[in-house]
Amino acid sequence: DAGITQSPRHKVTETGTPVTLRCHQTENHRYMYWYRQDPGHGLRLIHYSYGVKDTDKGEVSDGYSVSRSKTEDFLLTLESATSSQTSVYFCAISEVQSYGYTFGSGTRLTVV
Amino acid sequence: QQQVKQSPQSLIVQKGGISIINCAYENTAFDYFPWYQQFPGKGPALLIAIRPDVSEKKEGRFTISFNKSAKQFSLHIMDSQPGDSATYFCAARGTSGSRLTFGEGTQLTVNP
């Protein structure tokens, strides 16, 4: 998707290992979000950021942490991956809070 | 927790038919109701959105109908095409720009 990239696109990791997903934007948007997508649950907000070093929790934040040291980068870290964190993770950006999201292409994470 | 309930989970429509997806929200003030379209392997993309001061918005074959008193809104896809086959998410944003809450998603299949 133009202006927003996620890496890696796919990852398989073992239970108990730390994992970091990266979201990079070139749009200079203030707001960045991490969602997870699971069947039957839609998209659920994990964490979001409203500026450099300014972050807040979403509805499913347990087991996840985030950091934003630069406007363009928003990192999602699973401190100790569990099988319940197997999911597709999407990053989104917006100029106005919670309005007109642009999503990345997602990262498919499998925890074995 | 603010919730948005979406139905049906899956929908199969013949080419040329009308696809209808419904969403309902609970007793919370929302001020913006977008619909997102997601193709396999891609992130969701904004399709159409409405504010609660209007009852209907149309863009091409896509129409949102909004019933404020019933706290319901729906997406109608006229003359459905196989290329419309995708997952559709409704969403709602709380007033003052608070977080966007997504429905569970509807997988639409349009048969040729």
Side-chain angles (χ1 to χ4, degrees), chain A residues 37 57 97-99 101 104, chain B residues 36 38 89 93 97-99:
Chain A
Q37 182 177 7
K57 295 179 179 180
Q97 186 174 3
S98 301
Y99 182 86
Y101 283 6
Chain B
Y36 283 81
Q38 183 184 30
F89 293 96
R93 185 184 75 168
S98 63
R99 61 192 62 174

Side-chain angles (χ1 to χ4, degrees), chain A residues 4-112:
Chain A
I4 178 171
T5 55
Q6 292 184 235
S7 60
R9 289 298 311 275
H10 302 272
K11 185 170 182 65
V12 179
T13 192
E14 293 186 350
T15 299
T17 61
V19 177
T20 295
L21 309 182
R22 181 181 183 237
C23 178
H24 178 77
Q25 63 146 329
T26 58
E27 304 295 323
N28 201 35
H29 286 181
R30 177 181 177 185
Y31 299 93
M32 300 185 75
Y33 315 82
W34 277 106
Y35 282 85
R36 59 178 290 175
Q37 182 177 7
D38 304 288
H41 293 278
L43 293 152
R44 293 181 292 175
L45 182 65
I46 305 171
H47 282 279
Y48 68 99
S49 171
Y50 47 96
V52 173
K53 292 185 171 32
D54 293 323
T55 64
D56 204 352
K57 295 179 179 180
E59 60 183 298
V60 290
S61 60
D62 288 349
Y64 301 95
S65 62
V66 290
S67 66
R68 192 171 178 195
S69 58
K70 299 184 291 184
T71 298
E72 57 266 35
D73 289 324
F74 192 32
L75 304 179
L76 176 70
T77 298
L78 289 66
E79 301 293 343
S80 178
T82 67
S83 58
S84 65
Q85 294 176 312
T86 292
S87 186
V88 181
Y89 291 85
F90 286 99
C91 177
I93 60 175
S94 69
E95 283 187 283
V96 176
Q97 186 174 3
S98 301
Y99 182 86
Y101 283 6
T102 299
F103 280 89
S105 296
T107 293
R108 182 173 294 277
L109 177 67
T110 303
V111 183
V112 299

